[in-house]
């Protein structure tokens, strides 16, 4: 998350961090907000999200970034549209980073002589 925030601050002039610690704290708080508050907002706004064919989730992502910018002192954000496009950029960047990383999935190993039994 901190890598995505840092790259987004380089790409978008409306995002600025006063120090590395404010960047790291912002990343931690954004991760917490995305894990706790965002699911509640998605559930509460489900009809609107359904009517917009899921595009309202992009607005929720931008609101989460704006909330973190309000909470963290060294995180400056110029406005909603900067947060909106930065959230799209960060989602794509996070997807690419996760795609490039080696898989952390489970390995299935057949046990014994019986091919029908798989140990996980």
């Amino acid at each position: 998350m901190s890598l995505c925030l840092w790259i987004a601050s380089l790409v978008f002039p409306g995002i600025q961090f006063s120090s590395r610690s404010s960047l790291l704290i912002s990343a931690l708080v954004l991760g917490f907000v995305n894990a706790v508050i965002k699911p509640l907002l998605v559930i509460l706004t489900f009809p609107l999200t359904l009517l917009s064919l899921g595009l309202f989730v992009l607005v929720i992502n931008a609101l989460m970034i704006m909330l973190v910018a309000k909470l963290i002192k060294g995180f400056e954000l110029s406005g909603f549209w900067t947060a909106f496009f930065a959230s799209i950029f960060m989602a794509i960047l996070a997807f690419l980073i996760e795609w490039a990383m080696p898989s952390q999935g489970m390995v299935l190993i057949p046990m014994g002589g019986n091919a029908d039994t798989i140990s996980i």
Side-chain angles (χ1 to χ4, degrees), residues 28-105:
L28 287 172
V29 173
L30 185 59
F32 178 78
V33 164
N34 281 337
V36 176
I37 298 174
K38 182 181 172 184
L40 295 173
L41 282 177
V42 169
I43 290 170
L44 290 174
T45 60
F46 183 72
L48 187 56
T49 303
L50 193 61
L51 285 174
S52 68
L53 303 175
L55 294 176
F56 192 71
V57 174
L58 298 174
V59 173
I60 293 174
N61 287 342
L63 292 174
M64 296 300 100
I65 292 175
M66 291 178 72
L67 175 64
V68 172
K70 291 285 186 191
L71 293 174
I72 305 302
K73 187 173 184 176
F75 182 10
E76 299 295 325
L77 185 65
S78 65
F80 173 78
W81 291 109
T82 302
F84 183 80
F85 291 116
S87 68
I88 295 171
F89 175 80
M90 288 172 51
I92 293 169
L93 186 60
F95 172 76
L96 292 175
I97 290 171
E98 187 174 332
W99 177 71
M101 299 298 266
S103 176
Q104 298 292 325

